[in-house]
């Protein structure tokens, strides 16, 4: 009985330390396995009280068996570890922590990711138990679990009420261990001393939460990204081939409701241009359980659809600008752009559920400001002579705003003609399109729009994807190669990325009367023939309402 309480407090301290990984996986995913490891190791230590020399080995094996039974049971044979089990345990030491750092958080509670957490709790239990049982030093017995706490905060720091609860829980466990480990005649003096450090600890924790840190908290995650091969073919290079084979199906969409179907399905965002080619972002992570909604001024609603692939070998998955979650597949996500990429080519029979955050915009986007903070100003290479003057004349002197973005779109629609044929995005080809022939493919319309917009200070990016067909069959929309589309998007303050259509290629299809598309069309219709330089509305949260007129938001 004398040893039970110190053992219980040591394993409880290790369990609290393991739960400090809550920002990474969530308490619900961690609690079962950590609780089993703590109970099994503590029980094994008490049962082996007389086997002092063998106790560390027996407790370690018991803890490993507990981890196997909870996380790796599918790899066992009749409940006993197999070669596959041992291999996955080894990967838990070498790989799982790195896979977790390469994921968005909360990470998926898969064994291959979260295995390293119970494997950290286990040695914290074993070493802590040996120190308290052999050396009778309770403070030193807390060092292993304290190291786990420090490591957890390097992964992702606890904040707010969660940090307060975790800190006070660990302090309470430490105080309990200190009390029960002292001789009985010293308990009264120890209890009299405990309230002071507990109050000081609580005060420090609360002050640390109330006083803002001088910058974002450091995390080991910051520089851990999934390496993506640069040899993959860009979807922009496939557009000409798809146009030559218009009747080949690409994927089908079964939306949760007809009213919420978007008019376009992006597959990749191309934000970097060097004057020759467009490049996609490279900050890919494994998509966790869910991405948070974007910090926009307008309300956002979660939408859902089931997407079934109709072509083999694809890696770029149809998505939306603000993806929330994916079920039935484990894609990578470019966090700054929203693009989804399969780690390896997928089969034609693969389907997945997609959830995304859809901004809800009522009324019109007329006069809104742009938002360079979202990106879209990553250079244009070296423009040829005459292009800068063309850009300035296209917007008729209107400063950078959504009004000037729409004016630039109208300029390209009215003065240039879309034709089919080979594209090309280098400056010599865009110069010929803009200054000489004034005829080009829809890809050249979109690419020319983005570079002209950036020269004017309008944040814009290039997107490759598909439009939603106008008709559906059997409750789903079947998207064909003929629906392939390239378009520009402009960053609007408080609203996010707004798709435009300088080539007039996205006018047919479903979803064109919903959300941002309808609000953009309303702003187009209100664009005056000779736009001046009106006051720019800074966004829904700051937009001033003229007297007697209500904001559409």
């Amino acid at each position: 009985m004398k040893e039970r309480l110190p053992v219980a407090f040591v394993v409880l301290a290790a369990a609290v330390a393991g739960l400090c990984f809550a920002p990474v996986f969530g308490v619900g995913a961690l609690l079962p396995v950590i609780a089993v490891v703590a109970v099994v190791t503590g029980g094994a230590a008490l049962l082996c009280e007389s086997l002092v020399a063998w106790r560390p080995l027996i407790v370690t094996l018991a803890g490993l068996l507990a981890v196997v039974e909870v996380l790796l049971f599918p790899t066992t044979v009749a409940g006993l570890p197999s070669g596959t089990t041992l291999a996955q345990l080894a990967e838990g030491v070498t790989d799982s922590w790195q896979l977790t750092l390469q994921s968005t958080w909360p990470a998926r509670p898969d064994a291959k990711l979260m295995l390293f957490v119970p494997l950290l709790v286990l040695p914290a239990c074993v070493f802590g138990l040996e120190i308290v049982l052999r050396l009778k030093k309770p403070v030193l017995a807390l060092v292993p679990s304290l190291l786990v706490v420090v490591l957890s905060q390097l992964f992702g720091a606890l904040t707010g009420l969660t940090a307060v609860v975790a800190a006070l829980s660990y302090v309470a466990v430490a105080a309990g261990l200190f009390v029960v480990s002292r001789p009985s005649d010293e308990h009264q003096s120890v209890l009299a001393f405990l309230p002071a450090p507990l109050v000081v600890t609580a005060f420090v924790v609360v002050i640390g939460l109330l006083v803002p840190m001088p910058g974002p908290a450091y995390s080991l995650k910051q520089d851990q990204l999934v390496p993506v091969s640069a040899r993959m073919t860009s979807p922009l290079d496939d557009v000409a081939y798809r146009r030559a084979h218009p009747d080949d199906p690409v994927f089908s969409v079964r939306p949760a409701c007809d009213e919420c179907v978007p008019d376009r399905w992006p597959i990749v965002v191309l934000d970097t241009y060097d004057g020759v080619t467009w490049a996609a972002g490279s900050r890919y992570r494994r998509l966790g359980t869910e991405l948070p909604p974007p910090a926009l001024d307008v309300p956002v609603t979660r939408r859902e659809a089931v997407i079934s692939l109709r072509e083999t070998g694809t890696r770029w998955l149809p998505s939306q600008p603000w993806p929330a979650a994916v079920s039935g597949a484990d894609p990578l996500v470019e966090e700054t752009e929203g693009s989804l990429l399969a780690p390896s080519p997928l089969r034609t029979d693969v389907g997945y559920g997609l959830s995304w955050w859809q901004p809800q915009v009522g009324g019109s986007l007329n006069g809104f400001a742009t938002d360079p903070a979202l990106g879209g100003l990553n250079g244009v290479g070296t423009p040829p002579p005459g292009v800068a003057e063309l850009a300035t004349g296209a917007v008729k002197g209107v400063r950078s705003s959504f009004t000037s973005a729409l004016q630039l779109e109208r300029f390209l629609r009215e003065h240039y003609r879309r034709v089919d044929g080979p594209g090309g995005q280098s400056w010599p080809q865009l110069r010929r399109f803009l200054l000489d022939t004034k005829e080009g493919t829809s890809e050249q319309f979109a690419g020319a729009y983005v570079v002209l917009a950036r020269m004017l200070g309008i944040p814009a990016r290039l997107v490759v994807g598909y439009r939603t067909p106008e008709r559906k069959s059997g409750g789903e929309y079947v998207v064909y190669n003929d629906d392939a589309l390239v378009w520009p998007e402009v960053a609007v303050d408080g609203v996010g990325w707004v798709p435009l259509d300088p080539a007039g290629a996205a006018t047919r299809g479903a979803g064109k009367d919903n959300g941002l598309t309808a609000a953009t069309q309303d702003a187009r219709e209100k664009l005056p023939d000779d736009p001046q330089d009106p006051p720019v509305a800074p966004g829904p949260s700051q937009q001033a309402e003229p007297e007697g007129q209500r904001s559409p938001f």
Side-chain angles (χ1 to χ4, degrees), residues 11 26 57 94 158 194 202 249 264 272 302 311 316 320 341 352 359 376 401 411 426 456 458 465 470 505-506 534:
V11 297
L57 178 60
T94 60
L158 293 168
L194 279 179
R264 310 181 202 195
T272 303
R302 184 164 176 150
E311 64 178 6
W316 302 97
Q320 288 296 309
L341 178 67
Y352 60 94
S401 64
F411 174 80
S426 67
L456 294 167
I458 303 171
E470 189 170 3

Side-chain angles (χ1 to χ4, degrees), residues 422-466:
Q425 296 293 327
S426 67
W427 263 124
Q429 293 162 317
L430 292 183
R431 182 204 172 280
R432 189 179 308 113
F433 163 62
L434 290 170
L435 301 179
D436 296 337
T437 66
K438 297 189 177 182
E439 294 181 347
T441 63
S442 60
E443 305 94 273
Q444 290 176 323
F445 268 83
Y449 180 94
V450 175
V451 294
L452 292 176
R454 290 182 174 184
M455 293 171 69
L456 294 167
I458 303 171
R461 64 185 189 180
L462 193 69
V463 183
V464 183
Y466 301 86

Side-chain angles (χ1 to χ4, degrees), residues 2 31 41 70 114 185 209 233 401 408 411 440 442 499 544 546:
K2 181 180 179 181
L31 186 58
T41 53
V70 176
M114 64 181 297
D185 58 347
L209 294 173
T233 302
S401 64
L408 179 60
F411 174 80
S442 60

Side-chain angles (χ1 to χ4, degrees), residues 146-508:
L146 188 60
L147 291 176
V148 176
V149 172
V150 173
L151 183 59
S152 71
Q153 299 311 288
L154 291 177
F155 266 69
L158 293 168
T159 58
L161 181 60
T162 306
V164 174
V165 172
L168 295 183
S169 298
Y170 191 84
V171 169
V173 172
L177 175 61
F178 186 65
V179 169
V180 300
S181 300
R182 306 299 294 176
S184 56
D185 58 347
E186 297 182 17
H187 282 184
Q188 186 172 359
S189 61
V190 170
L191 290 172
F193 172 75
L194 279 179
L198 287 177
V199 171
V200 171
T201 302
F203 178 78
V204 171
V205 170
V206 172
I207 291 298
L209 294 173
L210 296 178
V211 178
M213 298 294 290
Y218 172 77
S219 172
L220 293 173
K221 177 184 178 183
Q222 291 174 358
D223 299 322
Q224 292 289 330
L225 300 169
V226 179
V228 176
S229 173
R231 298 181 179 180
M232 288 189 304
T233 302
S234 170
L236 185 62
D237 299 332
D238 292 337
V239 173
Y241 171 82
R242 294 189 182 280
R243 294 274 171 73
H245 302 79
D247 297 328
D248 293 346
V250 184
F251 63 93
S252 62
V253 178
R254 188 179 294 272
C257 63
D258 290 337
E259 295 77 15
C260 60
V261 61
D263 67 328
R264 310 181 202 195
W265 294 92
I267 57 173
V268 67
V269 172
L270 304 171
D271 193 43
T272 303
Y273 182 64
D274 60 5
V276 179
T277 57
W278 289 92
S282 59
R283 300 189 63 82
Y284 280 91
R285 296 189 181 277
R286 291 173 172 82
L287 182 59
T289 57
E290 182 172 302
L291 293 176
L296 304 177
D297 293 336
V298 297
V300 293
T301 301
R302 184 164 176 150
R303 303 298 193 189
E304 297 180 351
V306 175
I307 298 175
S308 302
L309 302 180
R310 298 291 187 94
E311 64 178 6
T312 188
T314 185
R315 292 190 62 184
W316 302 97
L317 304 183
S319 181
Q320 288 296 309
W322 309 105
V326 172
S327 59
D330 296 321
L332 310 178
V333 61
E334 218 294 350
E335 288 185 290
T336 60
E337 298 173 355
S339 303
L340 297 180
L341 178 67
S344 58
L346 299 178
R347 305 183 308 273
T348 56
D349 59 345
V350 171
Y352 60 94
L354 173 69
S355 300
W356 68 93
W357 303 107
Q358 183 168 301
Q360 300 299 302
V361 180
S364 174
L365 293 178
N366 184 37
F368 273 66
T370 55
D371 186 6
L374 289 178
L377 293 173
N378 285 349
V380 296
T382 305
V387 175
E389 293 78 5
L390 175 71
T392 303
V395 297
K396 299 182 179 180
V398 179
R399 66 182 174 220
S400 175
S401 64
F402 194 58
T403 298
S404 59
L406 292 177
Q407 173 58 25
L408 179 60
E409 179 194 53
R410 183 168 70 179
F411 174 80
L412 291 175
R413 281 191 178 190
E414 293 181 349
H415 295 85
Y416 293 82
R417 189 167 70 94
R418 179 166 58 93
V419 296
D420 294 326
Q425 296 293 327
S426 67
W427 263 124
Q429 293 162 317
L430 292 183
R431 182 204 172 280
R432 189 179 308 113
F433 163 62
L434 290 170
L435 301 179
D436 296 337
T437 66
K438 297 189 177 182
E439 294 181 347
T441 63
S442 60
E443 305 94 273
Q444 290 176 323
F445 268 83
Y449 180 94
V450 175
V451 294
L452 292 176
R454 290 182 174 184
M455 293 171 69
L456 294 167
I458 303 171
R461 64 185 189 180
L462 193 69
V463 183
V464 183
Y466 301 86
R467 62 182 156 231
T468 304
E470 189 170 3
R471 297 180 180 180
K472 67 177 181 177
S473 175
E476 64 180 8
Y477 297 90
V478 179
V479 178
Y480 294 87
N481 275 341
D482 188 47
D483 298 307
L485 193 64
V486 184
W487 67 89
E489 290 183 344
V490 171
V492 177
D493 185 31
V495 178
W497 291 102
V498 176
L500 297 180
D501 185 23
T507 54
R508 61 184 178 88

